Amino acid sequence: MDVRLALTGRRGRLRLLSGMVRANRPWRLVPSLSPAIAAAAAGAAFGIFYSNIWQLATALGVGRQITVMAVALVAMTAWLILDNGLWESRRNRSLREEMLLSNASTVLTVAVGVVIMFALLFVISLVTVVLVVPPHYLGTTLMRESGFDDYVMIAWLSTSMGTVAGALGSGFADDGAVRQAAYSRREQERRARLDRADGSTDDRTADRAGDA
């Protein structure tokens, strides 16, 4: 189906966009990011075992934790898209609207994959910090009685720190594997078709310039 035929109204665009993201199956992105996951786990481990991070995490508050998490998620999403060449750029004006939709689906696909990775890392971090750090020792470090919410805050900040480290580690991931995981087969075929269409436009432009 021609994507341009489906771009009728805001609801049609949103339905098409959600369908493209579902077809890309964002959860497939996680296994292809093993270098990023390894770096993220190392960064999270630093937060779990470093007592100064415990004090910082419990002092930040929910609002700042959300801000740190959002920055980490955006940083990793942007890094994956730019470093792996997932952002489309078309010279052909007739393809611009389709390009915008494709880029939006790419951002959402990668973002969902990153959020899934963050959630998995958070669960692992929370289980680890609960098992490794005794409540009385945590209370001694914090100089007050500790509770489960303290463990949550420590795991939360550690996961955010790990995600930033994971963004750097994602540079070692295989570009082809990431691209293949980020796009469904139909999306890969569609991009190849657009590349050919965009290339033919460039050829015609060059021919006209040569004739002139």
Side-chain angles (χ1 to χ4, degrees):
M1 181 181 67
D2 192 339
V3 174
R4 286 169 290 185
L5 296 179
L7 296 178
T8 55
R10 180 177 298 178
R11 179 175 296 181
R13 289 181 175 87
L14 290 176
R15 290 182 61 184
L16 180 59
L17 179 60
S18 63
M20 292 172 69
V21 174
R22 286 197 304 270
N24 287 339
R25 292 180 290 179
W27 53 89
R28 299 188 313 161
L29 189 63
V30 177
S32 67
L33 297 177
S34 53
I37 294 174
F46 176 79
I48 291 172
F49 292 104
Y50 193 49
S51 60
N52 284 354
I53 300 298
W54 305 350
Q55 296 173 326
L56 177 61
T58 55
L60 279 179
V62 174
R64 290 187 178 180
Q65 286 271 25
I66 292 175
T67 301
V68 173
M69 177 184 67
V71 170
L73 292 175
V74 170
M76 186 162 189
T77 300
W79 185 278
L80 285 172
I81 291 173
L82 298 177
D83 188 57
N84 292 283
L86 303 181
W87 189 261
E88 279 194 55
S89 179
R90 303 291 176 188
R91 299 181 183 88
N92 190 338
R93 291 185 178 181
S94 64
L95 302 176
R96 291 293 174 86
E97 190 170 11
E98 191 171 348
M99 178 195 70
L100 292 175
L101 185 67
S102 178
N103 283 333
S105 72
T106 296
V107 171
L108 289 176
T109 298
V110 176
V112 171
V114 170
V115 168
I116 292 173
M117 191 199 77
F118 186 95
L120 293 174
L121 186 60
F122 172 77
V123 171
I124 295 172
S125 298
L126 181 59
V127 171
T128 302
V129 72
V130 168
L131 292 177
V132 170
V133 182
H136 69 274
Y137 184 73
L138 178 59
T140 300
T141 302
L142 299 178
M143 294 183 292
R144 59 173 174 78
E145 186 177 354
S146 63
F148 183 73
D149 58 327
D150 294 315
Y151 287 102
V152 171
M153 298 297 275
I154 293 169
W156 194 354
L157 182 59
S158 299
T159 304
S160 297
M161 293 170 53
T163 301
V164 174
L168 301 177
S170 66
F172 296 98
D174 181 73
D175 292 358
V178 172
R179 192 174 294 108
Q180 186 174 4
Y183 299 137
S184 65
R185 179 177 298 179
R186 179 176 297 179
E187 177 66 10
Q188 294 179 39
E189 293 173 351
R190 188 196 66 81
R191 285 179 173 248
R193 174 176 58 81
L194 291 180
D195 287 339
R196 290 193 297 270
D198 205 29
S200 63
T201 300
D202 291 342
D203 292 341
R204 288 194 297 270
T205 301
D207 291 341
R208 286 196 295 268
D211 293 339

